Amino acid sequence: MYDGGKIIAGLIVFLGIVGFPFWYNAGSAGYKTPELKLPPKSKATECIEATEWMRAEHMQLLNTWRDSVVREGNLEYTTASGSHVEMSLQKSCMDCHDSKKDFCDKCHTAAAVEPYCWDCHIAPKEEK
Amino acid sequence: MNALYSLFAVFALVVIALVGAGAAGMEQLFGLYIPWLAIAVFLVGFVAKVIGWAKSPVPFRIPTTAGQMKSHDWIRHDKYDNPATAGQTFVRMALEVLLFRSLFRNLTAQRFGSAQDGVDVKIRYASAKWLWLFALIFHYSFLVVFIRHWRLFLDPVPSALLALEYADTFLQIGAPALYMSGAALALGVSLLLLRRFVVPQVRYISQPADYFPLFLILGVALSGILMRYWAKTDIMAVKEVTMALFSLNPAVHIEGIGVVFFVHVFLVSCLIAYLPFSKLMHMGGVFLSPTRNLPNDSRARYHRNPWNDPNVKAHSYAAYEDEFREKMIEAGLPVEKTLEEAAKTEAQ
């Protein structure tokens, strides 16, 4: 090999970078989605829409709620099953999901999203 | 035609994933084993390619350059285009790798004048920066998209990735917030494709090997965009799969993930497995290009040809002619000295 030292060094740096997720995770115990604190059974047993759907679509739902309240003055959401909910982040979602820290943030920290909603909206008081 | 074949090849890959992971339910295969295989092919293929290059001797300095070589003190030396030292070569390489300096020089040929005006048609060359611009948009957005994906590969997510995420969604458009890098990637790759369609000279030399990677990357980008904004899927379930992938844990239970995810991952697997065998290998090749990575010091330093056998003595043209002059004249070949002139020098 010609210039072998430099080329091998370059390759090692390259493998170090592209393989980073492997090195970072090596030896760590299997990853699991964090446990969420769900609303107590006495309060509610299901979300406003199907749980699977909520997991994937809740941000979209909140976005349409926001537009429809703020731009169209529409305050009521009709769920797929026909019941009515007030379209409100603080008064609906956070009424059932009364802990941002143990619910929303659990997923969001793992997925590295930080919704900026809380710059303005007020999260429920966390019990210590 | 070349473009159509490539497009169909990418469609075929999408169909394979749709049928395999969707209809036939082979989620484990498409979510874990194919990506692992692709990563292994990529790493081994990449290293083998680079080692293969490293074995090719480059005995002489062959930089291609458009700058003034180091010469007399009163001639301005173009240090970073025609480097004379290792340090200057480093700067030249950095400019090439980070800013695509050679594309900045891209020229376009234009015709001007016309027979109707009674002027001869002439050709002139003008600067064409758009290739450079498209390439910059494309490569940098691809880099950001690539690194940003590590939020799904690492746990806990390092804070640098959060900062990147914040910057990328800075415009706060919609929810899930628009990633600027994703839009820029789709734009960049489309512009590079359009270039091959629109510019006749470029279209003429475009092969399936040029179109296929572009369509494949476009497919990867569009499936990713589709998955984030439209055909959404449960990201937490996805993270369980990607974490299993990067901690080599095949025991994960895959459930509740939309088929777009498998299409996306299959296209990415094809892309990375294909990379070491394709033009995309310029990723490593740019560092090993002797036309870029060598200082131009052929006239300042003596470079010995490593193949020179010390037993083979130099044989100058003058000596060669002395040896074969008569035969050359007989064969009608031009000689520097006629027989008489040669006899005269010998007599002296």
Side-chain angles (χ1 to χ4, degrees), chain B residues 245-260:
Chain B
L245 193 61
F246 286 96
S247 39
L248 304 178
N249 163 26
V252 66
H253 179 63
I254 302 184
E255 197 191 85
I257 300 181
V259 70
V260 217

Side-chain angles (χ1 to χ4, degrees), chain B residues 9 88 103 121 171 182 196 201 215 217 222:
Chain B
Q88 292 165 3
L103 294 186
V121 179
L171 295 182
R196 291 198 179 270
Q201 293 92 328
F215 279 121
I217 292 170
L222 292 183

Side-chain angles (χ1 to χ4, degrees), chain A residues 1-2 7 11 14-15 17 20-22 24-25 31-33 55-57 59-60 63 107 110-112 116, chain B residues 46 50 54-55 57 150-151 153-157 165 172 174-176 232-234 236 239-240 243 245-246 248:
Chain A
M1 243 196 285
Y2 301 84
I7 293 174
L11 274 179
F14 172 74
L15 293 179
I17 296 174
F20 183 69
F22 287 110
Y24 191 87
N25 290 333
Y31 167 87
K32 277 245 139 271
T33 302
R55 282 187 192 139
E57 302 279 351
M59 39 306 211
Q60 185 82 48
N63 200 32
C107 285
Y116 56 89
Chain B
F46 196 100
V50 169
K55 285 193 174 142
W150 291 10
R151 77 186 170 120
F153 306 161
L154 310 175
D155 196 84
V157 182
E165 194 85 9
Q172 301 188 336
K232 288 210 238 357
T233 192
D234 178 1
M236 304 316 292
K239 185 159 182 173
E240 284 197 5
M243 288 300 290
L245 193 61
F246 286 96
L248 304 178

Side-chain angles (χ1 to χ4, degrees), chain B residues 74-85:
Chain B
W74 43 269
I75 298 177
R76 198 151 139 249
H77 173 207
D78 192 345
K79 284 202 193 75
Y80 303 127
D81 204 6
N82 200 330
T85 64

Side-chain angles (χ1 to χ4, degrees), chain A residues 52-125:
Chain A
E52 277 74 50
W53 190 87
M54 286 305 290
R55 282 187 192 139
E57 302 279 351
H58 63 274
M59 39 306 211
Q60 185 82 48
L61 180 73
L62 282 168
N63 200 32
T64 35
W65 278 18
R66 172 171 61 176
D67 287 354
S68 105
V69 171
V70 178
R71 301 198 181 148
E72 286 145 34
N74 233 339
L75 293 172
E76 207 177 62
Y77 175 72
T78 312
T79 67
S81 61
S83 49
H84 299 282
V85 193
E86 184 180 352
M87 287 199 244
S88 170
L89 173 60
Q90 284 161 246
K91 283 182 270 174
S92 293
C93 310
M94 306 319 282
D95 178 40
C96 288
H97 301 294
D98 58 1
S99 170
K100 169 171 158 322
K101 195 164 75 6
D102 292 326
F103 186 72
C104 314
D105 288 356
K106 277 272 162 66
C107 285
H108 294 167
T109 308
V113 278
E114 277 181 283
Y116 56 89
C117 319
W118 313 107
D119 292 357
C120 304
H121 291 269
I122 298 169
K125 267 216 175 67

Side-chain angles (χ1 to χ4, degrees), chain B residues 171-187:
Chain B
L171 295 182
Q172 301 188 336
I173 297 175
L178 175 80
Y179 281 136
M180 286 183 269
S181 59
L185 174 59
L187 177 78

